[in-house]
Amino acid sequence: MSGTRALLEVQDLQIDIVSAKHRHNVVENVSFTIDHGETFGLVGESGCGKSITALAMIGLLRSPLVISSGSIRFRDRELRGLPERELRKLRGNRIAMIFQEPMTALNPVSPVGRQIAEMFVLHQGATWHEAERKAVEALASVQVPAPEQRVKSYPHEMSGGMRQRIMIAIALACKPDLLIADEPTTALDVTVQAEILKLMKELCSARGTAVLMISHDLGVIAKMCRNVGIMYAGHLVEQRPVEAIFRSPSHPYTNGLLNSLPRLGSRGIHGRKRLQEITGVVPSISAFPAGCRFQPRCERASALCATTQPDQADLGDEGYVRCFHHG
Amino acid sequence: MLRFILRRLLQMVPTVIAVSLLIFIIFSVVPGSIASSMIADGRGANDPELIERLNREFGLDRPVHVRFGDYIWNLAQFDLGTSFRTRQPVTELIGERIWPTLKLAIAAMCVAIAIGLPLGFFAAMRPGSLLDSITMVGAVSGLSVPQFWLGLLAMYLFALTLGWLPSFGYGEGGLRNLVLPALTLGVGPMALLARTTRAAVLEVMSTDFIRTARSKGMSSFRLVKWHVTRNALVLIITTLGLQFGSMMGQAVVVEKLFSWPGLGSLLIDSVGLRDIPVVQGSILVLVLCFLVINTVVDVLYAVIDPRISHG
Ligand SMILES: Nc1ncnc2c1ncn2[C@@H]1O[C@H](COP(=O)(O)OP(=O)(O)O)[C@@H](O)[C@H]1O
Ligand SMILES: [Mg+2]
């Protein structure tokens, strides 16, 4: 394992939707790195391109979505253009993924134990017999009670939280270097949400697994991550350590996200502010504005913003922002 | 599971009773009788006395409610009455004919499954490909071609022109006589099955759990084997059951065309002769077959899909 280089390096990633007539840009100029064992957060409202970015990391983008340019280096190896056979060896094995919907992400007609066991058969050449035994251990490791019996259960016999534990067991089965968690707790109750996040954090830090944590909720990210990227309409508009983001949000969009966050803290008790939604919605990919993509919803927007895309401005604390009028 | 099967069988009873009632009502209001049909085809003189004697002999002079009581009473003892024409018990007549019909339907179903299922599957694996387009055009044609026309064409080509196969009849009950009728009967279900299979596989391929399976790093082959097949079957089985059931009905046309000595030919001949007990019996047995197949489908469902409760 190389200790010096980052685990995952994404450089100027661009993803387009290509049809016979049109080519729409979905994700542009996205760069970030994740070190071994680091947890990196990707935040933005729904429809900002987070899931698409995540799928690109494991080569699972399907037509009409294509990676048009940029590079994705994983353990010093370029994933773009890697043959499908090679990608398959990485998927699930070195880079695993958890999805948002625990209700539909598992095969309804296959016992959960078998769905975990598949991982050992696929990547460790285990026999089904060995794999089923290891599946029991994997279930125990995600704190599912009575794992010997539970392996025989079907997904519909379990709660959402329990299914997400199964997903975690599957994802971590082969001790991957990187876990991509795409809104893993969005569909769950708040209490269950906290349990699942705690479990993920414990398991990943114990095994040294790096995490790309995706959420629309800065609160979730705050609990998990060191560095955060704020994504808006396919652009990374601000990228900084999580404390810096909370202390002094720079981009107006980050500011908006923070203000819409319910907080139990001193400021909340003094009734300083009501929760503020950012007005407007994320534009659809066919209607991205010229210039800064956030400008139509931005209080600070000027004439310049409507015509020119802002460059990356360094902020000193290992972070940057893309805004002409950053705070 | 056993209790589930038993319950499904018990649920058939009210349906069977309702159907027998309906059949009885229909045939007590249709005009014409065994006597009038004999007169119509010239086997009997138009003699009021003769008609009355015939009607008395077959019990047709009694009031409807008495006949209905009789009918139900006999039915409860698995007695379908006696044929007006041959004076044989109807159960015996049907017993001779049911096996050829079942043989034909099963053979046709095998043809449909053996060809329709894989075609639909491969079409779905490569949507938009040449194979996909050909299969779907073929499926639409297969569904829209009338069966009797297809049967005649097959007869002309394989029997008369090429002389490979007998053009009609049951022969010794061997395979050679079965091929043409089974193909003719099987084309419709084959086409529908190809389409259903394609749609089912495409639907399964677009689900979240297939994305999960892909993210695990499995090959397409394993993806299909481990995750697609069973889920697609859940969707396909319904069509399969319905097709098998409605094929029992379609068999009537094909049997008549190929002079196949099955339930269908028996039914058509008996309708012409107003041999009501045989008509009623044949329809009842066809409906029973349909119900049994439906039950088998339900049981298969429960075996394949764990979400269906057996409780
Ligand atoms: N297969 C697809 N075809 C066309 N547009 C898509 C497809 N997948 C996603 N999109 C569009 O790309 C944008 C980003 O989607 P996504 O990455 O799922 O957002 P997020 O995960 O941030 O909510 C959305 O506007 C969505 O409508
Ligand atoms: Mg998403």
Side-chain angles (χ1 to χ4, degrees), chain A residues 58 60 62 88 91-92 99 101 104-109 114-115 118-119 122-123 128 154 156 167 170, chain B residues 207-209 211-212 214-220 222 226-228 230-231 234 304-308:
Chain A
I58 48 174
L60 278 186
R62 309 207 78 75
R88 278 208 301 269
R91 267 183 220 140
F99 299 94
E101 270 302 327
T104 53
L106 291 165
N107 183 344
V109 303
R114 163 149 180 142
Q115 297 188 55
E118 281 174 5
M119 299 301 279
L122 281 170
H123 296 296
W128 278 111
Y154 289 92
H156 73 275
M167 283 302 291
I170 292 173
Chain B
T207 56
D208 283 358
F209 63 83
R211 191 183 56 186
T212 305
R214 284 210 165 92
S215 80
K216 288 173 164 181
M218 62 184 73
S219 60
S220 302
R222 279 182 163 154
W226 290 354
H227 293 280
V228 178
R230 203 177 169 118
N231 281 286
V234 171
I304 294 182
D305 191 340
R307 285 166 295 185
I308 294 178

Side-chain angles (χ1 to χ4, degrees), chain B residues 43-62:
Chain B
R43 280 184 294 146
N46 193 353
D47 173 359
E49 215 171 283
L50 180 69
I51 293 176
E52 212 196 296
R53 215 190 69 214
L54 275 173
N55 280 347
R56 203 169 41 243
E57 193 180 329
F58 295 130
L60 294 174
D61 56 342
R62 295 170 307 158

Side-chain angles (χ1 to χ4, degrees), chain A residues 51 100 182-183:
Chain A
S51 297
Q100 174 172 347
D182 188 359
E183 312 235 15

